[in-house]
Amino acid sequence: MKLAPSQVRRAATASLAAIAVIGITGCSAVNYQATTHQYSGSDGVRAEIDDVKFRHIAFVGAEEGSPARAIGTVNNGGTEDVEIAISADGESHTFTVPAGDAVSLEHDEEFIIENFRGAPGDVHEITVSVDGEGKEVGASVLDGVLPEYRALLPDGYDEAVVEHLEHGPDTWGSGAAHHDPDDDGH
């Protein structure tokens, strides 16, 4: 049986379409899907013990060996009050989180370690505990380079640290837009 040229073209077109569909869908079937990965979308880390969620846990300090403040939120989704402990570098801070409530480490429960051994940029091992059940996590260590963390530094912030990062005459015009401080916009 001999096929007509139009039948050959249709068969070839159908074969190419099938190969294209398999090729396109095959990539998503075997490749990593970033949207399925859960992570802490902040500068801190997250952990969970039973119904308690630790979110955005980090420490803010100027340098290794200086004081550092714990930041983040502890959320108790359970029906009973829980005793929380956060420990690092031989120091520990305990507090109670009522059932169905959250506690902010920045505003409600200040925890400052006087001689913090983590340096800015490090991930520093700490222990978080709920009613005695502990879990080790790596907490981010931040400094005051980002303005939102400057007020949280236990010893205040030295503006000279970021003075060289300020936008000034030496950086004007280095982008797509021209910036003239004497130009009134007209």
Side-chain angles (χ1 to χ4, degrees):
M1 170 177 184
K2 188 171 181 181
L3 295 176
S6 63
Q7 290 175 319
V8 172
R9 281 193 300 271
R10 272 189 249 136
T13 303
S15 296
L16 286 173
I19 291 170
V21 167
I22 290 170
I24 291 170
T25 59
C27 291
S28 64
V30 296
N31 287 334
Y32 172 74
Q33 298 296 307
T35 55
T36 63
H37 178 73
Q38 290 188 10
Y39 66 96
S40 186
S42 177
D43 292 328
V45 296
R46 58 191 265 165
E48 293 182 19
I49 300 175
D50 296 327
D51 292 326
V52 177
K53 296 178 180 179
F54 297 83
R55 295 296 186 252
H56 315 298
I57 305 298
F59 280 82
V60 181
E63 61 188 8
E64 185 174 354
S66 70
R69 176 187 318 270
I71 64 171
T73 302
V74 181
N75 186 333
N76 179 4
T79 57
E80 303 282 328
D81 294 358
V82 292
E83 186 76 13
I84 302 296
I86 299 176
S87 305
D89 298 343
E91 294 187 39
S92 189
H93 181 65
T94 59
F95 54 95
T96 301
V97 180
D101 205 357
V103 169
S104 166
L105 297 174
E106 295 97 303
H107 306 292
D108 304 325
E109 285 293 330
E110 183 176 90
F111 176 35
I112 296 175
I113 296 177
E114 290 302 320
N115 189 16
F116 191 68
R117 294 186 214 131
D122 285 351
V123 173
H124 193 68
E125 289 298 315
I126 67 167
T127 303
V128 295
S129 302
V130 177
D131 292 333
E133 181 184 341
K135 184 179 212 176
E136 293 211 6
V137 297
S140 304
V141 182
L142 311 168
D143 58 15
V145 171
L146 295 174
E148 56 268 29
Y149 298 118
R150 291 179 188 166
L152 297 170
L153 284 164
D155 288 341
Y157 184 71
D158 179 7
E159 288 290 331
V161 172
V162 292
E163 208 169 69
H164 68 284
L165 299 176
E166 297 298 320
H167 183 63
D170 56 334
T171 60
W172 291 337
S174 62
H178 175 70
H179 178 77
D180 183 356
D182 298 323
D183 185 6
D184 63 2
H186 299 296

